Amino acid sequence: MKNKKKFNLETLSARFFSAFVYVFLYAPILIVILFSFNTSRRNITFEGFTVSWYGEMVRNSGLLESFVNTLVVASCSTAIAVVIGTLTAIAMFRYKFKGKGVIDSLLYIPVVIPEIVLGISLLASFAIASVPLGRISLVIAHATFSIPFVVFTVRARLSGYDRSIEEAAMDLGANRIQVLTGITIPIIFPGIVSGAVLAFTLSIDDFIISFFTTGASSITFPLKVMESVRSGIRPDVYALSSIIMLATFIIVIISQSAAYRSKKSGKD
Amino acid sequence: MEKEKEPPATEQPKPIVEISGVNKFYGSNHVVKDLSLVIYEKEFLSILGPSGCGKTTLLRMIAGFERQSTGTIIVEGENVENKEPFERNINTVFQSYALFPHMSIYDNIAYGLRMKKVPKKEIKDRVNKALVMVRLEGFGQRYPSQLSGGQKQRVAIARAIINNPRVLLLDEPLGALDMKLRKQMQIELKNLQRKLGITFVYVTHDQEEALTMSDRIAVMNVGNLDQCGKPEDVYDRPATKFIADFIGETNLFETVVEEEKGGVAYLYCEAGDMMGKSEGFDPNEIVYVSVRPEKTKCSVKPVENFSLGGIVRESIYLGNIVKTIINLTNGQAIKINTSVDQPAPPVGSIRYVYWDIKDAVMIYTHANDIINQIESVGLNSFNAAIPELLPKEGENG
Ligand SMILES: Nc1ncnc2c1ncn2[C@@H]1O[C@H](COP(=O)(O)OP(=O)(O)O)[C@@H](O)[C@H]1O
Ligand SMILES: [Mg+2]
């Protein structure tokens, strides 16, 4: 009897604790969604329900333009990071060479370095190479900080990979390109996908590095939001944020279920 | 296990793989040493040796995954020096199976044919036939992760043989299976090889497996090919001390030749005197004598020209035989197998070990060659180095 009671108390507190964590994480998000439907311009009290901010958001060309720009930059930088990161991971897995350990640890530095330092370094580099600040410099900067993440996720996938699988494919008549496209990449694909998702979200999210490495011609959504903070955030920003959140939610669910499925079938 | 005799070869067997003077170095590690070996069409050749002796390396050089440092490999009359694995008419079954985890069993087996752009219809027929051949009908739509070890092994074999290779290389294909499944797969593999009529080059470290399955066995020892011959040759007439020790159980004596007379070699070792076959040895020459436990005998009284006395330590009943262990005066344990209906000598009694001269296998050590060579060159100062040149005890595991 006593035991059972103690057990109940434990599960109860565990439940309470996890509920608290979820409230802590999701309450602010729900508030943003709530206020995107608020009739009031200010976001202190909820005065009434409206969807007019969603219409306002579409009419606010600056806001929408910045969002499209963010998506373009994120797509381009992700594509670059995925190609370079995947090939780097494969090369580092496959070949032994002098200084591999050093190169290995060098990959971690852009990850742990304060973003502001990376931002300033990139700005200085663009100045020296006389790359004009704009969309191109932004894409290069985002690809730079995304590459290590792709390398890490792909390499994690490769760690249990048996090289003789590739040899078996070659033995059966595949040339090196066919081995890469038909065997290696499909097997590490879940790693590539999670690397890409990571790179894409990091890029959409990024404020500090974008702040240093873009010009007036290429404003991203986070920069736009920061800019509007000074004049007070309008609910149309909430509306766009809500849509982004919904999209993210859907992407996460899709990628998680894909990862789950490949885990089920991909293990040898 | 009953061994079926091969039908007598009416024609001269044709060589299919010719390896000559092949060396392989990994850095300063000399892994394969001046190895020459001819593999014939339609034979089941085992490459047998302890782990780390270079078997896999040799196989990988034949398949083309590894390039030899020196020497040539000829496949079907063509030097394959610059041929990639996919350009050789050879397929490999890997120890780790190496199935493609992201493909169904059907797609795994079809892979080689797809690479060769075989028409879809034909692929389907051949894959289904291969599935039947390895007794995996109905498994086509499964994934490798859903199969047991033995089934995966059969998929790996099907995937390789569907391409009709001239030579199939198998690297310890049964190594990961349990004993019972192993025995069963040994028979299946042997039958498959006969049915397909292709050359199998089968790497194993299991001497029993090699003896039961092979037409010929190539025994490797730290990178050297020590002997290549029929199972009975390798078993009954081992060419080196290493092989005598490695293949089957044996009683091995390091002896010195006293003299040869009337077809008999009179020898002595630490434990006493013995006799062996006369094979033209010089007096004082060092010779290893190997006698199988089933050929070794013991008596209550010393037999003429033998003085290998010892104490019976143990008598172990093994179902079909009784194994008796006799410790000689120098501590060497002699194993004697006798049939169960013969009385076993009581433990603690004194017995004298002997054998029929014909059952003693004489193994030439080459020690005298080296000594003669050094003396003939007149480098007497090198005599100090001779002990190091002699084959060492335990060197070969
Ligand atoms: N890729 C390699 N690089 C360096 N040394 C190797 C490599 N492959 C094998 N070796 C060495 O070569 C020797 C023989 O290996 P292997 O051919 O795998 O032996 P086996 O198959 O008979 O067990 C071993 O000492 C091993 O350490
Ligand atoms: Mg091996």
Side-chain angles (χ1 to χ4, degrees):
Chain A
M1 268 291 134
K2 222 177 181 179
N3 259 342
K4 199 172 179 199
K5 206 169 176 188
K6 192 176 163 226
F7 176 72
N8 275 341
L9 200 67
E10 258 176 34
T11 48
L12 205 68
S13 60
R15 271 188 204 155
F16 177 77
F17 188 72
S18 41
F20 178 75
V21 168
Y22 275 86
V23 169
F24 198 74
L25 285 174
Y26 282 94
I29 292 174
L30 289 175
I31 287 171
V32 166
I33 295 172
L34 188 67
F35 278 99
S36 73
F37 297 110
N38 192 1
T39 44
S40 162
R41 200 163 239 294
R42 288 176 304 149
N43 46 37
I44 300 154
T45 52
F46 193 79
E47 286 172 8
F49 182 84
T50 176
V51 290
S52 66
W53 296 115
Y54 285 82
E56 190 71 16
M57 168 196 95
V58 176
R59 280 187 293 277
N60 186 342
S61 64
L63 186 65
L64 224 61
E65 200 182 292
S66 73
F67 183 62
V68 170
N69 189 40
T70 292
L71 290 183
V72 170
V73 168
S75 306
C76 295
S77 66
T78 299
I80 295 171
V82 162
V83 172
I84 297 178
T86 302
L87 294 178
T88 307
I90 293 175
M92 290 189 37
F93 171 75
R94 193 171 295 177
Y95 303 109
K96 288 196 180 91
F97 48 87
K98 263 205 175 128
K100 187 173 167 177
V102 176
I103 290 186
D104 229 29
S105 17
L106 279 179
L107 267 176
Y108 284 91
I109 291 181
V111 176
V112 296
I113 209 171
E115 266 188 72
I116 193 148
V117 176
L118 195 60
I120 292 169
S121 322
L122 284 165
L123 177 61
S125 312
F126 289 138
I128 290 167
S130 55
V131 177
L133 295 185
R135 202 177 259 180
I136 290 176
S137 63
L138 199 57
V139 167
I140 295 173
H142 282 204
T144 307
F145 70 70
S146 298
I147 286 170
F149 290 95
V150 178
V151 175
F152 295 152
T153 54
V154 173
R155 207 169 46 181
R157 182 75 193 176
L158 276 169
S159 69
Y161 183 62
D162 180 4
R163 272 299 311 271
S164 56
I165 289 175
E166 288 183 353
E167 289 180 344
M170 284 186 78
D171 191 61
L172 295 168
N175 61 34
R176 279 164 216 282
I177 304 288
Q178 287 168 321
V179 170
L180 189 70
T181 57
I183 305 293
T184 315
I185 289 182
I187 290 176
I188 60 176
F189 197 67
I192 297 176
V193 169
S194 38
V197 170
L198 209 55
F200 194 77
T201 41
L202 284 172
S203 171
I204 287 186
D205 219 29
D206 181 71
F207 172 75
I208 299 175
I209 290 172
S210 305
F211 180 78
F212 283 103
T213 55
T214 192
S217 63
S218 177
I219 296 296
T220 64
F221 179 65
L223 291 173
K224 187 80 186 169
V225 172
M226 275 311 274
E227 193 186 275
S228 65
V229 165
R230 271 180 236 131
S231 53
I233 303 177
R234 284 156 30 120
D236 55 350
V237 172
Y238 288 161
L240 188 52
S241 300
S242 301
I243 289 176
I244 292 173
M245 251 158 341
L246 188 70
T248 313
F249 192 68
I250 291 168
I251 290 173
V252 167
I253 285 180
I254 289 172
S255 72
Q256 287 286 319
S257 65
Y260 178 72
R261 251 182 286 130
S262 80
K263 212 187 224 167
K264 254 173 72 177
S265 71
K267 264 198 188 142
D268 193 9
Chain B
M1 202 172 290
E2 197 67 17
K3 252 193 70 68
E4 283 177 52
K5 281 277 170 282
E6 286 294 298
T10 44
E11 54 200 299
Q12 195 72 16
K14 276 195 227 115
I16 188 153
V17 179
E18 295 156 83
I19 301 163
S20 40
V22 163
N23 282 285
K24 177 72 189 176
F25 292 88
Y26 285 118
S28 61
N29 190 2
H30 198 172
V31 176
V32 172
K33 297 171 186 164
D34 195 30
L35 193 144
S36 298
L37 173 65
V38 178
I39 301 166
Y40 296 99
E41 267 183 354
K42 300 181 181 182
E43 77 169 330
F44 194 118
L45 177 91
S46 288
I47 297 175
L48 174 65
S51 161
C53 72
K55 306 180 297 293
T56 297
T57 307
L58 177 62
L59 210 65
R60 290 171 60 83
M61 289 191 290
I62 300 172
F65 300 126
E66 213 76 67
R67 184 150 297 170
Q68 65 268 28
S69 308
T70 62
T72 55
I73 296 175
I74 291 169
V75 179
E76 295 183 278
E78 233 183 307
N79 191 336
V80 290
E81 172 104 50
N82 295 313
K83 282 199 171 182
E84 296 276 3
F86 49 85
E87 296 168 318
R88 303 183 185 196
N89 206 354
I90 292 177
N91 284 115
T92 306
V93 175
F94 293 84
Q95 176 166 15
S96 56
Y97 313 134
L99 300 182
F100 308 129
H102 60 299
M103 292 184 195
S104 68
I105 301 310
Y106 182 96
D107 291 337
N108 263 278
I109 297 174
Y111 191 82
L113 299 180
R114 292 207 174 120
M115 288 298 119
K116 293 196 186 78
K117 305 253 186 308
V118 172
K120 259 213 174 90
K121 176 87 181 41
E122 191 188 334
I123 292 181
K124 199 172 165 203
D125 290 346
R126 282 168 71 176
V127 172
N128 287 333
K129 227 188 255 166
L131 280 169
V132 171
M133 187 171 282
V134 296
R135 299 192 295 107
L136 284 173
E137 306 99 304
F139 281 74
Q141 294 319 308
R142 296 216 195 168
Y143 279 82
S145 57
Q146 298 166 311
L147 298 190
S148 72
Q151 290 169 335
K152 282 187 208 172
Q153 185 57 70
R154 293 215 280 272
V155 175
I157 291 164
R159 189 177 64 174
I161 60 174
I162 200 168
N163 305 291
N164 298 328
R166 299 295 303 279
V167 181
L168 187 67
L169 308 176
L170 303 102
D171 191 358
E172 310 210 13
L174 310 181
L177 305 181
D178 62 58
M179 200 46 146
K180 197 162 164 240
L181 199 54
R182 236 181 126 103
K183 295 272 181 225
Q184 184 193 331
M185 284 295 290
Q186 284 174 9
I187 298 165
E188 275 184 38
L189 271 178
K190 181 71 200 174
N191 288 340
L192 192 66
Q193 188 260 341
R194 261 202 217 107
K195 197 150 78 184
L196 294 170
I198 61 177
T199 304
F200 272 36
V201 180
Y202 187 95
V203 163
T204 179
H205 65 259
D206 182 340
Q207 42 103 7
E208 207 185 314
E209 196 168 278
L211 288 171
T212 52
M213 297 174 83
S214 322
D215 297 326
R216 286 196 308 150
I217 302 176
V219 190
M220 280 185 77
N221 174 26
V222 284
N224 293 301
L225 179 65
D226 271 18
Q227 187 176 6
C228 183
K230 295 202 180 90
E232 50 271 32
D233 289 344
V234 175
Y235 188 83
D236 291 336
R237 285 177 292 282
T240 63
K241 174 191 171 232
F242 164 77
I243 296 177
D245 226 8
F246 184 67
I247 297 184
E249 250 187 327
T250 196
N251 296 305
L252 197 65
F253 303 89
E254 183 179 345
T255 70
V256 178
V257 178
E258 179 132 34
E259 61 170 336
E260 283 195 346
K261 213 163 52 187
V264 177
Y266 296 90
L267 316 145
Y268 62 90
C269 72
E270 251 185 351
D273 299 337
M274 62 184 80
M275 290 197 292
K277 271 188 292 237
S278 160
E279 291 182 0
F281 299 112
D282 298 327
N284 292 328
E285 186 163 351
I286 296 165
V287 174
Y288 285 101
V289 177
S290 160
V291 189
R292 297 287 176 192
E294 62 269 21
K295 302 286 166 91
T296 311
K297 303 173 188 176
C298 65
S299 64
V300 182
K301 287 197 182 129
V303 175
E304 206 186 350
N305 295 316
F306 281 91
S307 63
L308 300 169
I311 297 173
V312 178
R313 272 278 154 261
E314 258 182 295
S315 203
I316 309 157
Y317 175 72
L318 292 173
N320 49 349
I321 53 164
V322 174
K323 184 181 286 298
T324 304
I325 311 284
I326 296 177
N327 274 9
L328 299 184
T329 50
N330 65 340
Q332 186 177 355
I334 302 298
K335 293 153 275 185
I336 300 177
N337 293 350
T338 47
S339 89
V340 278
D341 27 77
Q342 280 177 337
V347 171
S349 63
I350 291 175
R351 285 291 183 279
Y352 293 90
V353 173
Y354 71 100
W355 49 80
D356 291 342
I357 296 170
K358 66 169 172 53
D359 293 330
V361 176
M362 315 299 289
I363 300 166
Y364 198 51
T365 61
H366 300 283
N368 288 41
D369 284 357
I370 297 169
I371 293 169
N372 290 342
Q373 243 170 33
I374 291 170
E375 278 177 353
S376 71
V377 181
L379 296 175
N380 281 326
S381 58
F382 269 52
N383 280 353
I386 289 172
E388 282 172 41
L389 293 171
L390 297 181
K392 282 189 198 77
E393 196 62 42
E395 164 192 55
N396 302 321

